[in-house]
Amino acid sequence: MEEAELCLFSICAKRYDIVRNHRIDSGYHFFSSRIERGDSVERKGARMTQDFSITVNGRPVRVAEGTSVAAAMMAANEPCRISVRGEARAPFCGMGICMECRATVNGVPHMRTCQLACTPGMEVVTE
Amino acid sequence: MSTRFDVVVVGAGPGGIAAAVVAAEAGKRVCLLDESAALGGQIWRGFRTETARNLPHGSSFLEWTARLRSSGCAIWSGWQAIDRPAPGFLRLERSGEGRDLAFERLILATGARERFLPFPGWTLPGVMGAGGLQALVKAGLDPQGKRVVVAGSGPLLLAVAAGLAGKHARVEGIYEQAPLARLAGFGITLLAHPGKLVEGARYRLSTLRAAYRTSSWVVRAEGSGKVESVTVTNGRRQWQIACDWLACGFHLVPNLELPRLLGCRIEEGYVAVDTLQQSSAPGVACVGELTGIGGLEKALVEGQIAGWAAVGREAEAGGLSVKRLRMQKFALRLDRAFALRPELRALASPDTVVCRCEDVTSDALKDCASWREAKLHTRCGMGACQGRVCGGATEFLYGWQGAGGRPPIYPAAVSTLAAEAEKAPEPVGRS
């Protein structure tokens, strides 16, 4: 009984939504840069995805516009930081609370890369 | 420099937006602030006007953000609340720039985060929170072809698995620690909330390829340099599953740092509030997940109540009390259904890291009697996340209370912290 497949009863997904519809992510990513200025919180109008390059630990990585730096580092298989006892750490909570994804971005240390969107030519270094 | 508003709302998820809309529509000067650049909090993460209609919860997003835009509410995005420099003031920071906000009434809607529990291998790259992986995918991480194990507890697991399956990840199994009997009982109570039942069914249908096993949990993650496999158990036998990613979260815990800083009384893990959402701290209301994990509808109802209360229209707030009670009962049932099993306390081995920031192991904590003692002796909870991850874990593992709540509640520039609080801020007109 306990191991049985649990079907319809199970669940009321509440807190987080899902993106079942591909449209939201197939073209344009909404993830906005944290350092973006101004009080307008939504970009106007849909745009086509623009690919561009950033460098992660000196290696060029191709990303789609709107990709977070954390997502780019994961795709590149590069750790964000090296822990106190020397372990490689990568993005964990995805929402800016755990600080595991902090890295040096354009020379600024301790940036939470999951809360930061890639911009063309950005230089990201594991810290 | 400081700015004065009648009502300041912290957190631009559903609860915060609803509160801000009601107060601003009633003619108050309202400021809605959020650390993120985008509106929506977690449940509406990544939504935008053009495409939200087709998403689950999209119509409520469109309705509330449209009302917000025409309400005259000032929206401060990208601002992090870090301290209370003086009563009636909040100190904020954005990109190293500090600013003080003065307010008559404060409404907190800071939401929740996942609870994480330590197990061997949980610090390996590729092991993430369940909501964490979902957020990363929304931020451009491509899950296509990746073998993903989803584990932990809570309704979020199915939603995450469905989202991953929809983007062509290979979901290798969903492991829920709660027993089937308890979930079935919870499912029956959902007959009173048919919308949620339909939503759950839809998520499950889109992940039928993957097994959904109850009374099953992760024992450890293995791999060199990154996760390569996961060992799960049902309490009787263990088996190993090869994977690229493990998405593992144990339901949700409220973000209590700001309520604690402001002196709100906490009871059984949530902010204690009255029927008008007012906390024990004068002038401070709390809504949404802060008062019980209950999701979108609960946040919207409580946000509206707090908004009406902030403008002195208790009658309108009272009109929502039946709905409020219903949602609070739902939150209680949710907590009970997904209560964590004691076996999860024994997952960490002596050399398993509990505090990821400072690499404090389970062994180092075994002689500590309290959160405070652990901080003094081991630096547990004193790293960059300030106990946001290990606080939830040690609360469950050792029964320690009191993580968080000391200023600054987020890392901030010294110049921001050192600035003197202004005493007579300039009023601003409605923006």
Side-chain angles (χ1 to χ4, degrees):
Chain A
M1 171 75 169
E2 296 220 322
E3 257 188 72
E5 181 90 350
L6 179 70
C7 268
L8 303 186
F9 274 150
S10 43
I11 301 305
C12 55
K14 291 292 298 174
R15 168 72 183 146
Y16 297 77
D17 62 290
I18 63 157
V19 183
R20 295 178 62 246
N21 186 314
H22 297 191
R23 254 177 280 180
I24 190 163
D25 276 348
S26 60
Y28 162 83
H29 298 271
F30 179 51
F31 203 96
S32 304
S33 163
R34 242 185 82 73
I35 52 175
E36 193 174 67
R37 290 279 155 170
D39 291 336
S40 167
V41 290
E42 263 177 76
R43 298 186 192 172
K44 299 282 183 262
R47 281 179 280 162
M48 293 299 289
T49 297
Q50 299 280 317
D51 278 16
F52 54 81
S53 280
I54 66 167
T55 66
V56 179
N57 292 332
R59 209 152 55 84
V61 176
R62 206 78 195 144
V63 296
E65 185 185 359
T67 303
S68 74
V69 178
M73 294 187 87
M74 276 193 75
N77 273 322
E78 293 286 334
C80 296
R81 73 178 191 104
I82 304 299
S83 81
V84 175
R85 64 180 195 187
E87 297 170 358
R89 295 285 168 80
F92 181 66
C93 82
M95 50 191 75
I97 61 125
C98 77
M99 309 281 173
E100 288 286 43
C101 71
R102 63 192 194 272
T104 302
V105 179
N106 290 339
V108 182
H110 314 319
M111 297 298 287
R112 283 185 285 168
T113 59
C114 73
Q115 300 294 301
L116 187 70
C118 294
T119 53
M122 190 178 249
E123 288 180 15
V124 189
V125 179
T126 297
E127 70 178 47
Chain B
M1 175 185 134
S2 70
T3 315
R4 173 170 290 281
F5 288 95
D6 298 324
V7 181
V8 167
V9 183
V10 184
I17 291 176
V21 163
V22 168
E25 285 178 350
K28 293 287 181 185
R29 294 189 310 267
V30 182
C31 175
L32 173 64
L33 62 100
D34 196 285
E35 59 171 339
S36 167
L39 285 178
Q42 299 302 334
I43 191 155
W44 287 331
R45 176 185 281 268
F47 280 37
R48 59 195 178 95
T49 312
E50 294 79 15
T51 51
R53 189 167 309 282
N54 300 314
L55 299 172
H57 314 304
S59 55
S60 57
F61 170 80
L62 290 174
E63 177 197 336
W64 282 99
T65 50
R67 276 179 74 178
L68 180 68
R69 260 182 235 106
S70 56
S71 71
C73 173
I75 300 165
W76 289 22
S77 45
W79 288 93
Q80 181 88 56
I82 56 161
D83 196 3
R84 178 182 61 167
F89 288 83
L90 262 193
R91 180 156 295 174
L92 317 178
E93 187 180 73
R94 182 170 76 175
S95 308
E97 177 198 349
R99 197 185 267 198
D100 285 355
L101 268 188
F103 56 84
E104 301 294 325
R105 307 285 291 251
L106 186 63
I107 300 172
L108 304 182
T110 52
R113 55 177 175 257
E114 287 181 272
R115 188 194 297 273
F116 300 113
L117 297 180
F119 51 85
W122 78 304
T123 54
L124 285 170
V127 179
M128 287 158 281
L133 177 56
Q134 184 183 49
L136 284 158
V137 167
K138 286 188 176 189
L141 182 66
D142 184 8
Q144 185 168 355
K146 297 282 185 190
R147 297 163 304 163
V148 190
V149 172
V150 180
S153 197
L156 177 60
L157 300 186
L158 260 193
V160 170
L164 289 167
K167 300 204 82 179
H168 310 292
R170 286 168 50 192
V171 179
E172 298 288 333
I174 307 162
Y175 298 93
E176 164 63 60
Q177 58 86 36
L180 177 61
R182 213 177 330 121
L183 294 186
F186 175 66
I188 288 164
T189 68
L190 278 191
L191 293 173
H193 304 261
K196 296 188 204 320
L197 213 51
V198 170
E199 189 181 350
R202 217 185 266 150
Y203 289 143
R204 184 63 192 117
L205 285 173
S206 59
T207 53
L208 279 180
R209 222 196 115 255
Y212 183 96
R213 288 181 187 278
T214 53
S215 291
S216 305
W217 60 95
V218 168
V219 177
R220 63 181 167 270
E222 302 103 353
S224 65
K226 62 182 286 294
V227 64
E228 286 157 4
S229 64
V230 174
T231 299
V232 297
T233 185
N234 57 11
R236 295 186 296 279
R237 63 184 186 92
Q238 297 190 351
W239 63 102
Q240 202 176 35
I241 306 157
C243 66
D244 301 303
W245 292 337
L246 167 61
C248 186
F250 293 87
H251 204 35
L252 305 172
V253 286
N255 292 318
L256 292 173
E257 286 75 16
L258 197 49
R260 278 214 171 101
L261 177 75
L262 294 163
C264 303
R265 197 176 71 246
I266 314 289
E267 277 175 10
E268 293 178 22
Y270 299 106
V271 180
V273 290
D274 65 14
T275 51
L276 294 174
Q277 300 302 131
Q278 305 304 304
S279 75
S280 65
V284 181
C286 292
V287 305
E289 310 292 53
L290 287 179
T291 68
I293 305 298
L296 175 63
E297 285 168 69
K298 174 171 174 293
L300 286 174
V301 169
E302 293 187 354
Q304 292 174 75
I305 291 173
W308 286 123
V311 300
R313 300 208 354 216
E314 279 82 9
E316 277 89 344
L320 292 164
S321 61
V322 173
K323 215 168 169 193
R324 173 180 181 273
L325 202 64
R326 203 167 140 253
M327 295 318 299
Q328 284 186 332
K329 276 188 188 154
F330 171 74
L332 276 177
R333 284 195 205 110
L334 200 58
D335 267 359
R336 246 179 269 139
F338 294 99
L340 299 181
R341 60 176 57 238
E343 291 96 321
L344 299 173
R345 292 200 176 92
L347 294 182
S349 56
D351 65 341
T352 302
V353 162
V354 174
C355 164
R356 301 171 65 111
C357 293
E358 297 287 333
D359 281 356
V360 180
T361 60
S362 166
D363 193 44
L365 292 170
K366 71 176 190 299
D367 296 326
C368 297
S370 67
W371 177 250
R372 186 179 147 74
E373 210 174 286
K375 286 173 82 170
L376 287 172
H377 292 307
T378 69
R379 292 197 54 78
C380 178
M382 295 178 76
C385 92
Q386 288 287 292
R388 283 177 168 78
V389 175
C390 63
T394 57
E395 183 194 4
F396 172 70
L397 294 178
Y398 316 123
W400 295 348
Q401 299 291 329
R406 280 164 56 119
I409 57 170
Y410 235 87
V414 171
S415 57
T416 305
L417 297 175
E420 215 175 294
E422 287 178 45
K423 298 288 181 255
E426 291 298 310
V428 293
R430 298 186 61 193
S431 60

